[in-house]
Structure formats: structure tokens, C-alpha cells
Amino acid sequence: MIREKTGLFCIFASRNRINSMKNDESIYIDELYMHRCLQLARNGLMGARPNPMVGCVIVAEGRIIGEGYHIHHGEGHAEVNAFASVRQEDEALLPKSTVFVSLEPCAHYGKTPPCCDLIISKGVKRVVVGCQDSFSKVQGRGIQRIREAGIEVTVGVLEHECRALNKRFFTFHEQHRPYVILKWAQTANGFIDDHGHALAISTPFTKMLCHRLRAEEDAILVGRVTDEREHPLLNVREWVGKDPLRLVLGNGMDLHKLMDDLYLHDIQSLIVEGGNKTLSSFLDTGLWDELHVEVAPMTVTDGTPAPIVPTDAYQFDHEDWDYHEIYYYLRNR
């Protein structure tokens, strides 16, 4: 009797291990194709905004039969481009295929028809979604409609990575303000100028990185003193892309009111490159999401102190260029 029970237990245990292995393999496969969705989505960084970056992959019989991403605002979404890339000889595989998409398929008519309707019309077997869309016209409606059509839907695969990719989009729609990046360069001993006079801290290469960042964001802001003292152009000269909207923060300007105004004008992201007072005002009011701090291997005997990195910031990346250290921080929420 004991042997039978032990043997039965061993059978169940073996089955559980097998099921666990199958589940692990399924999760791995889902994440593998979602990583590909994210790779594709990043190609839309310059063209998709103000829409989110989205990638889509269609898989059948263990191979990719179609893929695409949202290339340009007002044009086909990732799902549309992915289905359009399916070869004629592979269309018969669609009923047994899985559609992977980094963001919930849209459920409303905008400049293009709803992507959830397109997916349903193709009769696919399963849909895997990276994260839900927080845009008010979607917010789970796309997922719901696909499920109501009898299609299996899995949500939340690489959710953190999918949300991070569209940090601007989610901050804008969830917090009703732009995603705010505070950026400054400082000497090794913690000053941003030399005795109150402008100091060229960045190298030609790190300056180019700064212009690349400008090309990726909607607006850029400095304080009144920096504007009057240095007359910065704040445009994109060392990179390819559109100039960000140039803003100057006046004395006594309420930052919350500024955020409201930028939200009403559909500004999803803002770089702040001002002096200590301007940068500290954003830090003190908690209106920031990311910090970029460049530290140069030079010192001065006195000057304007660099802002203090707050205690609720955590470093998520680091680069070393031309002996300059660039530290990247996110706010710990």
C-alpha cells in the first residue's frame, strides 16, 4: 500500500515537473517574441510620436510569418504592417497563429481603423499583449473585444519593459503632464560653471549625445538667467531630427501651471537644461522622472554648485565617453 501511494505520488510529482517545464518553456517563448516586438517598436522613436512606439510579430508553427512596427503617426499601426508583411503562401497559417504586440491593440477610430477589429477578422488563435494601453479611448477595450471574439489573450508579458519603452506616452496620459528629464554637466568637484561664468564642460562627442536627446524629445527649457547669460539655441545641430520647442522659465512661474499648459499643448516630454535654481525647482517640487548627469575630469576653485541628486533617485545606467562619466537616474516610485 505504501509502495502504491509512493508510486502514485511519484507519478503526480513527475507530471507536475513536466507541466512546470512546459509552463517555463511557454513563458520563455512568449518573452522571446515580445523582445522582438520591442526591437521593432524602437524603430518608430522619431516617427511615431505622439503615438506610442509599438512592435508586432505574427508566429505560426514555430516561425515568424509577419512582423511590423508603427513607422509614422497617422499611418498604419504595427499590427497593420505586420499582417501586410505576411506572404501569400503563409496566409493559410493565420488561423493557427499567435500575434505578439507590445501594446494593447487600439479599439477606436482615429486616423486609422481599430487594430483589434483587424486581428479578429484574421481569425488568429491567440494574442499576446505586452501591456495595456492607458489612453482613455482604449484602456482594455481592445483586449476585451478580442476575447469576446473567442480569441485567447495573454496580457503582461515583459510588461515593465513595454511600459518603459513608452515612458513618455504613459506619463502623459496617466499623470497629465510631460515626461521630465533633468540634465546637467558638472566638474569633478561639483560645479556647473567657473566663478559664475559659463564653462564648456561637455566634449564634442557628449555634446552630440545631448543633441540626439533633443531630437528625441518634444520641448526643452532653461531658466531666465541662463537664457540671458548664454543665449543658448537649444536646437538640434549635431544630430538629425526636429528641433524641440524652446522654452524659458520666467521668475515666479508656477511649475504645476507650466505642466498643465504643456499637457494641453500635447507636449509629451520635456528636457530641463537650466542652471542650479531652475533644476532645483523641478527637483524640489517632485516634477521630474529622469536625470542625466555628466561629470567631467576637470575642477574649478569656485562656482555655482551642481544640483544634488535626490535620495529617491536610483542609477539605472552609466556611460564613459572621452573620460567623461554620464550617470542616468530614474525616480524611485
Side-chain angles (χ1 to χ4, degrees):
M1 217 34 207
I2 295 176
R3 289 180 182 176
E4 290 178 0
K5 288 184 178 179
T6 305
L8 190 60
F9 172 78
C10 290
I11 290 172
F12 281 133
S14 297
R15 286 176 179 172
N16 287 336
R17 283 196 295 270
I18 291 170
N19 290 335
S20 176
M21 290 171 63
K22 287 181 178 178
N23 289 336
D24 289 344
E25 182 181 1
S26 177
I27 292 170
Y28 170 77
I29 291 172
D30 283 356
E31 291 184 350
L32 178 69
Y33 288 119
M34 191 57 68
H35 274 298
R36 178 56 180 163
C37 288
L38 291 169
Q39 284 182 328
L40 291 166
R42 292 186 186 96
N43 292 322
L45 175 63
M46 304 303 292
R49 62 184 184 186
N51 286 355
M53 293 172 278
V54 184
C56 180
V57 173
I58 305 170
V59 178
E61 297 183 343
R63 65 183 178 90
I64 295 175
I65 63 171
E67 60 179 25
Y69 66 95
H70 186 30
I71 300 172
H72 196 273
H73 173 244
E75 298 178 0
H77 289 186
E79 299 92 327
V80 174
N81 293 330
F83 279 113
S85 74
V86 177
R87 296 180 300 179
Q88 186 175 359
E89 56 266 35
D90 287 332
E91 289 182 356
L93 298 174
L94 288 177
K96 60 176 73 174
S97 68
T98 297
V99 174
F100 295 84
V101 60
S102 57
L103 183 67
E104 175 184 4
C106 63
H108 66 290
Y109 280 89
K111 293 183 179 295
T112 59
C115 289
C116 65
D117 290 351
L118 173 64
I119 291 173
I120 293 169
S121 71
K122 297 295 184 179
V124 302
K125 181 180 179 181
R126 180 173 177 245
V127 175
V128 179
V129 178
C131 63
Q132 184 174 310
D133 191 342
S134 58
F135 180 46
S136 60
K137 292 184 179 180
V138 185
Q139 289 188 324
R141 294 179 181 88
I143 293 169
Q144 180 182 353
R145 280 165 61 172
I146 294 171
R147 280 179 172 154
E148 288 174 349
I151 299 172
E152 178 188 349
V153 181
T154 300
V155 183
V157 175
L158 297 185
E159 181 176 11
H160 176 77
E161 291 87 341
C162 290
R163 284 185 59 86
L165 176 69
N166 284 303
K167 57 191 178 184
R168 305 163 184 84
F169 178 82
F170 284 113
T171 299
F172 182 80
H173 287 289
E174 295 174 1
Q175 300 188 38
H176 294 176
R177 66 165 177 82
Y179 186 88
V180 179
I181 301 171
L182 307 185
K183 180 186 177 301
W184 70 85
Q186 65 180 63
T187 63
N189 59 337
F191 295 101
I192 61 174
D193 59 26
D194 185 3
H195 291 78
H197 298 286
L199 177 66
I201 295 178
S202 297
T203 71
F205 186 82
T206 60
K207 183 179 178 182
M208 181 189 70
L209 295 179
C210 170
H211 285 233
R212 182 183 68 179
L213 177 66
R214 292 178 183 178
E216 295 173 354
E217 312 304 335
D218 290 341
I220 186 168
L221 177 146
V222 294
R224 178 186 58 82
V225 173
T226 298
D227 181 57
E228 293 177 351
R229 185 176 68 178
E230 302 178 20
H231 307 292
L233 296 176
L234 304 180
N235 59 10
V236 178
R237 304 184 300 280
E238 310 293 337
W239 199 258
V240 176
K242 182 181 177 182
D243 291 336
L245 175 68
R246 186 182 190 277
L247 301 170
V248 177
L249 185 69
N251 282 339
M253 183 177 291
D254 182 82
L255 294 187
H256 291 283
K257 176 64 166 57
L258 173 64
M259 294 294 104
D260 291 341
D261 290 343
L262 293 177
Y263 174 75
L264 291 175
H265 286 85
D266 294 324
I267 301 298
Q268 290 193 6
S269 59
L270 172 69
I271 308 168
V272 179
E273 284 194 7
N276 180 294
K277 183 177 180 180
T278 298
L279 291 162
S280 295
S281 67
F282 279 86
L283 290 168
D284 293 342
T285 53
L287 291 173
W288 67 276
D289 300 285
E290 195 170 311
L291 308 178
H292 295 190
V293 183
E294 178 180 350
V295 180
M298 66 172 71
T299 60
V300 295
T301 57
D302 195 14
T304 303
I308 302 298
V309 175
T311 56
D312 60 343
Y314 70 93
Q315 183 181 326
F316 72 94
D317 202 0
H318 166 262
E319 294 178 338
D320 183 353
W321 300 107
D322 298 336
Y323 302 103
H324 285 226
E325 308 287 334
I326 304 179
Y327 299 93
Y328 299 91
Y329 300 89
L330 286 175
R331 188 174 179 183
N332 193 4
R333 300 187 187 280

